[in-house]
Amino acid sequence: MLKPGLQLRTSQHLALTPALQQSIKLLQLSTLELEHEIEQILQENPLLEREDDPVAGALHVDADGSMHASTPDAGAQDAGEAAGEAVDTSAASEAHEAHELPDMPELYRPGGEHDDDTAPQLAARSASLREHLLEQLSLTQASDRDAALVAALIDELDDNGYLDTSLEEIAGLFPAELEIEADELRSALGLLQSFDPPGVGARNISECLCLQLREPDLACLPEARDAQVLDLARNISAHHLALLGARDYAKLRKALGCTDDQLRAAQTLIRRLDPRPGSRYSSPAADYVVPDVIVRKVGNQWRAMLNGDAVPRLRINQMYAQILKSERSPANAGLSSQLQEARWLIRNVQQRFDTILRVAQAIIDRQQGFLNHGEVAMRPLVLREIADTLGLHESTISRVTTQKYMLTPLGTFELKYFFGSHVATETGGAASSTAIRALIKQLISAEDPTRPLSDSQLAQMLGEQGIVVARRTVAKYREALKIPPVSHRKSI
């Protein structure tokens, strides 16, 4: 028979406090996501506000990338003590002289007489492909019925200007009482295909190229002035695109009965055409990247510095801090809780950028060769190496290097870009996979177009430089660089 009893046991376990959970969350956010998160917290917490004037208790980002708190004035200091010595995270500008405007003539001073003339103008929105085609349709003398058919065809075009829907399916979209015939749609399609841009309304790439090769504007191209070359390009576009894509020049010459020079000229002419005529009217969404760290050379060493524009400027609201200081009552318990949350956020934002700067500098210390000589000098690096150096966990390094960017003289890179696997060398050392990809790119760019290098030859040439790499590894790196295989790189 079981009897109830009490036992006392001691154990240790990790407790994720709200402050620690917030710190982990902020660390893995990108700069843009961090701004969105802070904006949401600012709307919910009246104790927190942005600091536009980086004087009172602000955390400054100096020109060398270091952060420190400035000395607040007396009134702000009292409020800061009431807030529990909260530290602001303001990103101060660099030296004041760098932001002073030079003397300008009165004619160009803001608010002057000619201010409207010198103000930048907003770029007008470019017309879409549909708008561009409908405008041309309105200038034709087509009947209402034909114009409606052409407009229906325009609505069926994809972003590249191709008509993917068959004419029979389009005819089925109209009411039966209109009695739309296939000949009418073909005539409407012929009118559409006469519009700008050349090649619009094509049903496949072969038709698209053939439409462009009938344009009179081709006369300005030197290859099109030769009638034989022009006929050859039209023949290839209509019947032999597969052979041209496979670069089977021997079969092409046999099928067309032409010389190497004529085939080369026809190929050059076809390459001047646009296989996606409608794409120029589409506006892809721009992806913006805000660098968290800026790399500059100080003396003979590269140094990482925080991007001051990326550091949020935050502080405790002075008015509410004074209220909590003067009136300590249970009615203000909610404000006290929000004050604590504001202090956590300010401290965690500071810790986030502190950690990013430490990790970035540790990466730079190991990749000085990359900054001096480019990708070919990239050394192998793993997360564990940085984690051991800084005394942090490997998962922390992974969070820091994801969606955090570094602006260098060679471009803007994600911190994770500087990490790569290693490949053994004959001397017993190791080469970075990034450096190997750069070498492959160099070798291919210097190859003879008529006799391009195969993956086996590339592996052999890398072996001559002391880098032991298999052919399939070379193929993997080549595909990562989006370089076509040897059969697609061959020229006449």
Side-chain angles (χ1 to χ4, degrees), residues 42-76:
L42 285 170
Q43 295 177 8
E44 299 172 353
N45 192 341
L47 267 295
L48 188 67
E49 66 181 10
R50 288 192 180 273
E51 175 60 271
D52 295 329
D53 181 12
V55 176
L59 185 73
H60 291 267
V61 180
D62 291 337
D64 60 356
S66 61
M67 296 193 295
H68 67 87
S70 64
T71 304
D73 55 32

Side-chain angles (χ1 to χ4, degrees), residues 67-113:
M67 296 193 295
H68 67 87
S70 64
T71 304
D73 55 32
Q77 188 171 5
D78 293 339
E81 292 174 356
E85 298 180 355
V87 181
D88 300 337
T89 58
S90 302
S93 61
E94 296 186 3
H96 178 68
E97 293 79 3
H99 294 276
E100 290 182 348
L101 294 176
D103 293 337
M104 296 182 294
E106 189 66 31
L107 180 65
Y108 297 104
R109 288 188 183 274
E113 180 181 357

Side-chain angles (χ1 to χ4, degrees), residues 343-381:
R343 291 169 57 192
W344 284 345
L345 178 66
I346 292 174
R347 189 176 297 111
N348 287 333
V349 169
Q350 176 185 356
Q351 183 180 2
R352 175 188 186 273
F353 284 95
D354 230 3
T355 305
I356 291 175
L357 182 60
R358 292 176 59 203
V359 172
Q361 186 58 54
I363 293 173
I364 292 303
D365 290 341
R366 286 157 179 77
Q367 300 294 1
Q368 299 274 332
F370 166 79
L371 294 169
N372 290 324
H373 306 290
E375 290 181 328
V376 293
M378 182 80 80
R379 56 157 289 188
L381 185 63

Side-chain angles (χ1 to χ4, degrees), residues 459-472:
Q460 182 179 357
M461 296 175 70
L462 290 173
E464 294 174 355
Q465 300 185 30
I467 301 175
V468 182
V469 59
R471 181 202 58 80
R472 59 181 176 273

